[in-house]
């Protein structure tokens, strides 16, 4: 079993890394303000899935496989960038909608989740944390499948949910005052710029 001190160290390190604003947090806030709480938590689910994938890579030694298939991961990162730019275009051209409505379609929630996953898969900060910094916090050679499933996965989900909820709820406070057409136009375009900025930061790191 993983020592409590090691679990605490992992949770603290992950919490700090997640709380520091980056492409994921920027896009999460933009999506929450633009589309509401459900879309925000759907995006957070996508971000969490991406984190769990990288956690699995680190724990099960798949980092070596990832290095062997570096070209594949490069393609995934560029596809993630393209998807974020597409979302930025959608936000830029979005029409005004009633912010009091709860009519969020299933495909919108799926799109939010996929955007969160895309950002995480292409986010160098996430990659660096799990494949470079995590081994400094935990002895990965001693972690079993049970430790991964019963301890690390729940801790990861709990930490990301806690941090993400803070940002989503903060975004909701801003959203309530942005019901006018002009305010929404600025909101959508700010969200578009946030998505484009996240994509641009990834591009800079790839070049």
């Amino acid at each position: 079993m993983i020592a409590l001190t090691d679990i605490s160290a992992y949770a603290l390190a992950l919490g700090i890394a997640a709380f520091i604003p980056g492409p994921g947090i920027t896009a999460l806030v933009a999506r929450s303000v633009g589309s509401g709480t459900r879309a925000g938590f759907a995006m957070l689910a996508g971000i969490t899935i991406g984190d769990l994938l990288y956690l699995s890579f680190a724990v099960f030694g798949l980092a070596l496989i990832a290095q062997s298939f570096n070209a594949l991961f490069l393609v995934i990162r560029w596809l993630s960038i393209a998807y974020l730019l597409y979302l930025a275009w959608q936000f830029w051209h979005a029409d005004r909608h009633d912010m009091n409505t709860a009519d969020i379609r299933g495909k919108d929630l799926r799109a939010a989740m996929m955007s969160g996953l895309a950002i995480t898969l292409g986010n160098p900060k996430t990659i660096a944390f799990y494949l470079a910094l995590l081994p400094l916090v935990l002895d990965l050679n001693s972690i079993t499948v049970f430790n991964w499933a019963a301890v690390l996965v729940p801790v990861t989900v709990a930490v990301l949910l806690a941090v993400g909820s803070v940002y989503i709820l903060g975004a909701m406070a801003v959203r309530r005052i942005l019901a006018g057409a002009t305010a929404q136009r600025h909101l959508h375009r700010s969200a578009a710029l946030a998505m484009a900025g996240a994509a641009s930061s990834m591009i800079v790191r790839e070049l």
Side-chain angles (χ1 to χ4, degrees), residues 150-173:
V151 179
L152 293 182
V153 168
V155 168
T156 301
V157 172
V159 170
L160 295 179
L161 178 62
V163 173
S165 295
V166 170
Y167 281 102
I168 292 172
L169 295 178
M172 289 301 97

Side-chain angles (χ1 to χ4, degrees), residues 21-28 43 84 119 123-125 194 197-199 201-202 205:
I25 290 298
T26 301
L28 179 64
M43 187 173 195
L84 289 178
I119 289 172
N123 189 354
K125 187 181 83 168
S201 69
M202 294 179 186
R205 289 180 173 88

Side-chain angles (χ1 to χ4, degrees), residues 49-101:
I49 291 171
D51 273 63
L52 292 177
L53 286 174
Y54 280 123
L55 172 65
S56 302
F57 288 159
V59 169
F60 298 117
L62 296 180
L64 296 176
I65 298 177
Q67 293 173 3
S68 300
F69 291 91
N70 186 58
L72 175 60
F73 276 76
L74 182 62
V75 170
I76 292 174
R77 288 196 293 272
W78 279 106
L79 288 175
S80 299
I81 290 169
Y83 186 65
L84 289 178
L85 292 175
Y86 167 72
L87 291 176
W89 181 86
Q90 281 196 319
F91 268 114
W92 189 268
H93 295 283
D95 296 325
R96 180 187 180 277
H97 64 278
D98 183 3
M99 286 196 168
N100 294 318
T101 182

Side-chain angles (χ1 to χ4, degrees), residues 4-201:
L4 182 59
T5 53
D6 291 338
I7 297 173
S8 300
Y10 169 65
L12 178 61
L14 177 60
I16 293 173
F19 197 79
I20 296 173
I25 290 298
T26 301
L28 179 64
V29 171
R31 173 68 76 170
S32 300
V33 173
S35 302
T37 306
R38 291 178 63 193
F41 279 105
M43 187 173 195
L44 180 59
I47 291 173
T48 303
I49 291 171
D51 273 63
L52 292 177
L53 286 174
Y54 280 123
L55 172 65
S56 302
F57 288 159
V59 169
F60 298 117
L62 296 180
L64 296 176
I65 298 177
Q67 293 173 3
S68 300
F69 291 91
N70 186 58
L72 175 60
F73 276 76
L74 182 62
V75 170
I76 292 174
R77 288 196 293 272
W78 279 106
L79 288 175
S80 299
I81 290 169
Y83 186 65
L84 289 178
L85 292 175
Y86 167 72
L87 291 176
W89 181 86
Q90 281 196 319
F91 268 114
W92 189 268
H93 295 283
D95 296 325
R96 180 187 180 277
H97 64 278
D98 183 3
M99 286 196 168
N100 294 318
T101 182
D103 183 21
I104 302 295
R105 293 172 295 178
K107 69 176 184 178
D108 296 327
L109 296 179
R110 288 192 295 272
M113 185 176 70
M114 290 304 299
S115 63
L117 178 59
I119 289 172
T120 304
L121 291 179
N123 189 354
K125 187 181 83 168
T126 305
I127 297 170
F129 177 81
Y130 287 105
L131 302 186
L133 298 180
L134 183 61
L136 301 178
V137 179
L138 296 174
D139 180 8
L140 298 180
N141 293 323
S142 65
I143 295 177
T144 64
V145 174
F146 176 80
N147 295 151
W148 169 79
V151 179
L152 293 182
V153 168
V155 168
T156 301
V157 172
V159 170
L160 295 179
L161 178 62
V163 173
S165 295
V166 170
Y167 281 102
I168 292 172
L169 295 178
M172 289 301 97
V174 175
R175 176 181 166 85
R176 293 190 185 96
I177 64 174
L178 297 174
T182 301
Q184 282 199 33
R185 183 170 62 252
H186 291 312
L187 168 65
H188 288 144
R189 294 193 171 181
S190 297
L193 292 174
M195 294 289 183
S200 298
S201 69

